[in-house]
Amino acid sequence: MSRLGSVQRKVPCLFVTQVKEEPSAKRERQSFKVLATETINRKALDADIYNAIPTEKVDGTCCYVTTYKGQPYLWARLDRKPNKLSEKRFKRFLYSMEDSKEFIWNIEEDFRPVPECWIPAKEIQQSSGNPLPDENGHIPGWVPVEKNSKQYRWHSSVVNYEAEIALILKCHADDPGRLEISSVPLSDLLEQTLELIGTNINANPYGLGSKKHPLHLLVPHGAFEIKNPPMLKHSDILSWFESCTEGKIEGIVWHCNDGHLIKLHRHHLGICWPIPETYLNSQPVVIAVNGTKYDCDFEPKCLFNHFSKLDGQRFSRLKDIKFDV
């Protein structure tokens, strides 16, 4: 199933949220938290949240697969942001007004330059052919991940453009209780968004690889359906996150029948993330990367070569995977 990620569209929270001030020890400044109330968001109700499919919100960085140079390519997220002067003007406006939509942008002059190959994310609003900034003053978008890119080297490590494949973490087709790492044709992922996770992404909440031997993987959005979800009540969800094994995740994304997404993060409930042991890194996993299928020579130190040597092997936990190098 092709499921677009949150960068492609604004994803509302399951509950109505409110901003609360909290004392901060740093420089005697107030800190703010966005916390969920017990009232379900009208947007969630309109999207028929009670019949939606709940999936694990995976903690990584968002990616996108679409065509570039005539072939399927992995793209990294790159938001176009305002320059310093425009950002100050925008923040002053926010302090004096409640609705950021009333702010008038000059798209040509107010924003920092982006590479020529940059494209805006889908479904963002446009005016006179120009993409409009979101409520934070950013224009979400993408840049293609070139082979051997230094800036996006961890993105680059999970794709091979010669073989046109990507390293994917997903549920095993025949054993729902087991994960599978496999090489998947990039063409099968066209127009999908995915999450890049691993050693050097978001402080590595899943404990993958090591500094000496980094390990990164792509997870298609919506890949991990929650089999025993909590009732859609604030207290039930809070209890599920805190005491259920399956609840040891960053959050939940509900995929509604009309295509809308609804999310809930642990932080919305005032509970911490990351946590020492996550549900994802505790699950058994099998490797299904057969390098002999491809008419190319993998570089000795690349992930595809390492996983090819482990083809068919099983590990009791995802974070137990180690390369014999």
Side-chain angles (χ1 to χ4, degrees):
M1 180 184 295
S2 175
R3 290 163 170 163
L4 290 179
S6 58
V7 76
Q8 296 284 67
R9 64 181 80 174
K10 180 64 179 174
V11 180
C13 179
L14 172 67
F15 296 110
V16 174
T17 57
Q18 59 185 13
V19 178
K20 286 193 174 181
E21 293 186 10
E22 290 198 344
S24 174
K26 292 184 178 179
R27 300 181 185 177
E28 299 181 351
R29 290 181 180 177
Q30 291 292 108
S31 62
F32 299 88
K33 278 190 174 182
V34 177
L35 296 175
T37 65
E38 296 188 8
T39 304
I40 293 183
N41 195 327
R42 167 52 60 184
K43 291 181 180 178
L45 294 173
D46 290 344
D48 193 18
I49 187 68
Y50 288 99
N51 289 304
I53 299 173
T55 67
E56 176 176 350
K57 184 182 187 301
V58 178
D59 187 0
T61 183
C62 196
C63 304
Y64 176 46
V65 177
T66 194
T67 304
Y68 180 63
K69 295 181 178 179
Q71 71 176 91
Y73 249 70
L74 183 69
W75 295 60
R77 178 174 180 174
L78 179 67
D79 287 4
R80 191 174 184 189
K81 299 178 181 180
N83 55 46
K84 288 185 178 180
L85 287 176
S86 301
E87 187 173 22
K88 287 181 180 178
R89 186 164 56 90
F90 179 60
K91 286 183 176 179
R92 283 198 301 268
F93 180 87
L94 291 183
Y95 287 134
S96 61
M97 304 289 289
E98 292 185 358
D99 191 354
S100 63
K101 292 181 180 179
E102 295 180 12
F103 186 79
I104 299 174
W105 292 99
N106 184 322
I107 304 300
E108 299 296 327
E109 297 179 3
D110 289 346
F111 286 83
R112 298 175 186 177
V114 287
E116 287 187 13
C117 53
W118 179 88
I119 59 172
K122 290 182 178 178
E123 298 190 10
I124 63 173
Q125 293 183 339
Q126 301 214 2
S127 175
S128 302
N130 290 317
L132 294 176
D134 60 20
E135 70 275 10
N136 299 313
H138 296 179
I139 306 175
W142 311 101
V143 288
V145 176
E146 297 282 10
K147 181 182 178 181
N148 299 324
S149 166
K150 288 185 178 180
Q151 183 177 1
Y152 299 109
R153 60 187 180 278
W154 310 124
H155 294 71
S156 178
S157 71
V158 297
V159 290
N160 183 295
Y161 292 131
E162 187 179 353
E164 295 192 4
I165 53 176
L167 281 172
I168 299 295
L169 176 67
K170 59 184 180 180
C171 288
H172 193 281
D174 300 322
D175 184 358
R178 188 182 300 276
L179 300 174
E180 176 183 286
I181 295 172
S182 58
S183 51
V184 173
L186 278 164
S187 58
D188 289 357
L189 305 171
L190 275 171
E191 303 311 313
Q192 290 189 42
T193 54
L194 312 95
E195 207 74 11
L196 177 69
I197 63 172
T199 310
N200 296 287
I201 305 296
N202 290 3
N204 195 18
Y206 305 111
L208 300 181
S210 65
K211 186 175 181 180
K212 190 174 182 180
H213 302 299
L215 193 166
H216 298 87
L217 298 163
L218 288 169
V219 180
H221 283 144
F224 304 134
E225 184 176 339
I226 297 171
K227 301 300 181 185
N228 299 295
M231 298 288 288
L232 296 182
K233 289 176 58 180
H234 189 285
S235 57
D236 288 348
I237 296 176
L238 179 61
S239 176
W240 182 81
F241 273 124
E242 290 186 318
S243 59
C244 198
T245 300
E246 202 176 1
K248 294 180 177 181
I249 60 178
E250 185 195 20
I252 304 173
V253 177
W254 286 267
H255 293 257
C256 303
N257 292 328
D258 64 358
H260 282 87
L261 302 176
I262 305 294
K263 69 180 179 182
L264 183 69
H265 193 288
R266 276 175 164 260
H267 289 159
H268 290 136
L269 301 176
I271 51 179
C272 68
W273 177 267
I275 56 178
E277 291 293 330
T278 67
Y279 182 58
L280 187 65
N281 70 17
S282 67
Q283 296 178 69
V285 59
V286 62
I287 312 299
V289 181
N290 184 355
T292 61
K293 294 196 309 182
Y294 306 103
D295 188 21
C296 69
D297 294 323
F298 295 124
E299 295 176 5
K301 294 184 179 180
C302 80
L303 286 176
F304 290 91
N305 188 53
H306 290 321
F307 277 118
S308 183
K309 291 178 180 178
L310 298 176
D311 185 40
Q313 291 193 33
R314 297 170 181 263
F315 295 85
S316 59
R317 298 184 306 171
L318 181 64
K319 69 177 185 178
D320 286 343
I321 296 174
K322 297 290 187 291
F323 299 135
D324 183 18
V325 292

